[in-house]
Amino acid sequence: MRKVVITGLGAVTPLGGDLNSSWKNLISGKSGASTISKFDSTGYPCRIACEVPLGEGLIANDGSFNANDWISQKDQKKVDTFILYGIAAAEMALKDSGWKPQTDEDNFRAGVGVGSGIGGLASIEKTALLLNEKGPRKVSPFFIPGALINLAAGQISIKNNLKGPNLAAVTACASGSHSIGEGAQMIKNNKADIMLVGGAEAAICPIGMAGFSASRALSTNFNDTPEKASRPYDKDRDGFVMGEGAGFLVLEELDHALSRNAKIYGEFKGYGVSGDAFHITSPSEDGDGAYRSILMAIDDAGISREEINYVNAHGTSTPLGDEIELRAVERAFDSAIDGLSMSSTKSSTGHLLGAAGAIEAVFSVMAMNENIIPPTINLDNPSLETKIDLVPHIAKEREIKAVLSNSFGFGGTNASLIFSHHYN
Amino acid sequence: MSDTLEKVQAIVVEHLGVEADKVTASASFIEDLGADSLDTVELVMAFEEEFGIEIPDDAAETILSVGDAINFIDSAKN
């Protein structure tokens, strides 16, 4: 049985232009939310978002993101921002892994899997307006390849000469987690030895904000205090705050990693997947889809529930979803509930849609390696009583044996990932 | 240097990210300047915009070099 380990991590988030700055801000309880700067949001029901901090200089200087560090200005114009974030975070993860293909065979055995919820939405919006104003001959030849969801995976494979499986899960807010889970299956099933997997999203644009507002998914009560808006499990929560960015992991077959003395962050242990078959945007009221996804992941991991002492929740800060997930976790862990910590890092990052599961997997692996559980900020008054420790406000030092990360998407699609330490 | 050459040069430098001195009249977009087929479509669109002309698809297919572009633009303008 082939085992899968994690040997590289990378991230571009609203908390920082790389993993180091994002992680530091995450565990110090910072919020990435502010008034939208990308466009004038006057008149929009939700005028706040968690935007990636953009800067002119190198990340090392101020923790901001500068696209010029990762892709030439000429090529930036040919891709949507979600691909840009994806290329950058993938490069970071690959560099962190220290792996470089040496032979053709190395290239053939290395693949890419990158999910996104809605891909190049901002490019689609801009191009539609241009088409309407100036006609079909003004549409750029790079519009389609710059907006297609799987072109994040395509671009990353081209840049790094990775010729193995090239995939993109498109499962709304579970896209990142499904891409990671499916990438791990590629290695387990001997289709690849190494997979660069993650998610990327950049949907903070007029049509994105208007659309999610219309489906009553976004927070609208905190336009004047953006940093308070994302408050999972709190009784005053009223919807999610949109985030953007990308997260990546290098997954590698164990012997492949050992043979090159790679740094091993942990083991990819379990993967659960399920569907609600209930409603297009609402999770099933009994949380059964989430419950079955979690159980399947635990079963796949082959570990006892007691070993999992941290859950990185989907926890988007919507009135319905948070409680349903909490009850599903309680039900799945049953008697193992005592001593379980569960936090939602979306309280700090906002909801990165198709990149959410990816940055949360990265944060989960970091939590396990650093033995620090990131907090659920803004959790002043929990709306439900629970035995689970929801890690309010302040990060918690705790030895983490194994971690579960949940992601649930519109359409009723669920994914659960379990990571544990790797023991020789 | 003709006015057209100068403007074409600037467009090619901007879109293809090449050095200005490589953009000579005889330079082929694909073979010498590293463009792909999508880049050439975008270049033609940029020429149309800059010079206020229309370049039909069948004509665009014959514009393979910087010189081809200048000749087409100059004759279209006259």
Side-chain angles (χ1 to χ4, degrees), chain A residues 74 77-78 137-138 142, chain B residues 14 16 39 48-49 55:
Chain A
K74 163 178 82 82
K77 290 188 215 151
K78 298 178 183 175
R137 291 177 53 84
K138 295 295 176 189
F142 297 105
Chain B
E14 191 203 326
L16 301 183
D39 289 316
E48 288 183 324
E49 185 80 27
I55 307 178

Side-chain angles (χ1 to χ4, degrees), chain A residues 17-38:
Chain A
D18 66 354
L19 177 55
N20 193 32
S21 54
S22 298
W23 176 252
K24 268 192 212 154
N25 285 329
L26 180 71
I27 59 171
S28 45
K30 293 216 171 103
S31 165
S34 57
T35 302
I36 291 172
S37 72
K38 287 173 187 284

Side-chain angles (χ1 to χ4, degrees), chain A residues 41 60 349 387-388:
Chain A
S41 60
T349 63
K387 282 186 177 174
I388 299 173

Side-chain angles (χ1 to χ4, degrees), chain A residues 113-148:
Chain A
V114 192
S116 183
I118 30 189
L121 188 64
S123 299
I124 294 169
E125 176 178 49
K126 260 191 253 169
T127 307
L129 291 170
L130 182 74
L131 172 69
N132 186 48
E133 195 188 333
K134 296 191 166 172
R137 291 177 53 84
K138 295 295 176 189
V139 173
S140 163
F142 297 105
F143 162 57
I144 295 290
L148 284 179

Side-chain angles (χ1 to χ4, degrees), chain A residues 276-298:
Chain A
D276 282 0
F278 176 70
H279 186 263
I280 52 172
T281 58
S282 296
S284 64
E285 282 151 17
D286 58 5
D288 197 60
Y291 169 76
R292 286 182 290 109
S293 176
I294 294 166
L295 278 199
M296 189 189 286
I298 294 172

